[in-house]
Amino acid sequence: MGRPPREVRSAAGHLRGDPAAQRLFQPADLRVGDCFDVPTSLTQVKDVQHHPCNEAHTGEVVGVADYPAGGDDPYPSESMLFSFADDLCARTFREYTGRDPFTDPVLSVGYFYPIEEGWRDGDHEVACYLLRLDEGPMTQSFRLPTS
């Protein structure tokens, strides 16, 4: 049995990139630095297309963290979950790119978060990703060089 789908929320629209070198990933399996195609609708997402970052893609994971809750805690309210994700994603976007997600003229940030069914099964992870404001594909990583 696979993991339940996850919700997706983004500050910008979406485009599906070139299907070359595709691998299906569940959103919960995405890790920092993974490049993928952002889903074309803001809804529940079961799989995303993974791509090498030097090939066309529309999203790049900038941060992943669990919502701070105990194993038996109830599903958080939408406002609490979105507040956690907004803070996490703004911080990890800055750390990953060196840019400000609120003022950047090219990039924006979105995130995947668990649905209530997944929460009951222990999925508390939020995955933050960057995407272009103009919905265009990217063919590079926006990760800051490591020293």
Side-chain angles (χ1 to χ4, degrees), residues 18-131:
D18 183 350
Q22 295 179 1
R23 285 190 343 218
L24 285 177
F25 273 45
Q26 293 181 329
D29 295 331
L30 289 169
R31 296 293 161 242
V32 173
D34 284 348
C35 293
F36 66 98
D37 287 337
V38 176
T40 57
S41 63
L42 298 178
T43 185
Q44 292 184 6
V45 177
K46 194 169 185 172
D47 296 306
V48 294
Q49 293 294 149
H50 181 270
H51 295 278
C53 292
N54 64 351
E55 295 183 10
H57 60 280
T58 57
E60 182 175 350
V61 180
V62 298
V64 177
D66 280 340
Y67 183 89
D72 293 332
D73 286 355
Y75 189 72
S77 70
E78 187 174 274
S79 64
M80 290 176 62
L81 187 57
F82 289 177
S83 177
F84 171 78
D86 288 343
D87 291 345
L88 170 70
C89 295
R91 179 177 48 80
T92 58
F93 180 96
R94 282 186 195 100
E95 292 168 357
Y96 190 89
T97 66
R99 299 171 171 206
D100 186 325
F102 303 110
T103 61
D104 193 277
V106 176
L107 301 175
S108 183
V109 68
Y111 47 84
F112 295 107
Y113 59 96
I115 61 173
E116 193 165 354
E117 176 187 351
W119 185 271
R120 287 191 302 267
D121 292 337
D123 179 13
H124 298 177
E125 188 175 88
V126 173
C128 308
Y129 59 89
L130 65 81
L131 66 162

